[in-house]
Amino acid sequence: MRRIALVTSVLLAVGAAQAGPMTLTDTVVDVANYTSDGVYFLPSGANPSTSPSFHRYYYQDWDWDHAVTYLPDPSPDASGVRTLQSASLTVYAWHVDETDQIIGDGTILGTLDTYTYGGDPWTTTTLDLAAILADLEDGALDVDIDIDTGVTGSGVTLSWSKLSVTYKWDWVEDGQEPPNGVIPAPGAIALGAIGTGLIGWLRRRQSL
């Protein structure tokens, strides 16, 4: 009987695997820098200490844009549901020694990390965008920097900014809600019938 049960379970599992809930997860990234966005990002390879035009002060706030492209609905019947799971903005800056705020789509996201005197003047700041996930549904983010917030200071230079968004597509094969998490596909029904017939045939052999 152990062999009979094993054959039946394998047949049903193969059929059930043909349908059910599906999920596709993806992460998209957009980098803004002097090449892609221009404006006041420091050109690649340039020395910030000898490039004063890219060192911005409290009265020289500026903004830049990010854009990401999501994968299209992968479901066969266009029934997929896209959900943004997380997002972050990373900014690489030079000589941050005052409060420099980063604002995304009108919401204050946080401040740039300051450097340690005598150490590396470059800092990498990663800001969580959970508060504005809904604003990223369109794949666009407008970023502003408020340099030396509320005070006058020595300014700051930005090298690049990176937007990362992780999202997922969810859909159900055959377009119906799975009972107990599994949809019995037509193949599963056919294989189940074969399994039942096989059980009966083996039982008849054992009774002979």
Side-chain angles (χ1 to χ4, degrees):
M1 289 299 293
R2 184 178 302 167
R3 180 178 59 180
I4 295 174
L6 177 60
V7 171
T8 306
S9 63
V10 169
L11 291 174
L12 292 176
V14 170
Q18 297 180 5
M22 306 290 288
T23 298
L24 173 64
T25 301
D26 184 40
T27 297
V28 285
V29 175
D30 179 68
V31 177
N33 52 37
Y34 183 76
T35 301
S36 66
D37 201 79
V39 196
Y40 294 110
F41 285 111
L42 184 72
S44 177
N47 187 333
S49 62
T50 58
S51 304
S53 60
F54 297 96
H55 197 65
R56 310 295 291 174
Y57 296 88
Y58 74 97
Y59 56 90
Q60 296 174 308
D61 299 337
W62 57 287
D63 65 278
W64 62 94
D65 298 318
H66 279 288
V68 294
T69 302
Y70 303 115
L71 291 175
D73 185 349
S75 65
D77 57 356
S79 64
V81 176
R82 189 183 69 199
T83 304
L84 301 190
Q85 297 180 298
S86 63
S88 65
L89 183 73
T90 301
V91 181
Y92 191 50
W94 183 80
H95 212 270
V96 181
D97 62 354
E98 300 288 352
T99 301
D100 300 312
Q101 282 187 340
I102 299 297
I103 302 162
D105 286 345
T107 298
I108 297 176
L109 304 176
T111 59
L112 297 181
D113 293 339
T114 59
Y115 82 99
T116 301
Y117 289 96
D120 187 354
W122 286 101
T123 58
T124 304
T125 305
T126 299
L127 304 168
D128 185 82
L129 305 187
I132 60 169
L133 268 184
D135 295 335
L136 297 175
E137 286 289 350
D138 60 359
L141 177 66
D142 179 59
V143 184
D144 294 87
I145 181 171
D146 185 356
I147 301 172
D148 295 338
T149 306
V151 297
T152 60
S154 59
V156 65
T157 301
L158 299 188
S159 178
W160 51 261
S161 170
K162 180 176 69 176
L163 171 66
S164 301
V165 183
T166 299
Y167 65 99
K168 65 175 181 175
W169 280 103
D170 289 300
W171 73 98
V172 176
E173 290 292 331
D174 299 342
Q176 51 186 311
E177 193 66 27
N180 299 323
V182 177
I183 299 178
I189 298 174
L191 288 173
I194 294 173
T196 302
L198 181 59
I199 291 174
W201 178 75
L202 290 174
R203 281 177 174 169
R204 285 196 298 271
R205 287 196 61 190
Q206 289 178 351
S207 63
L208 294 178

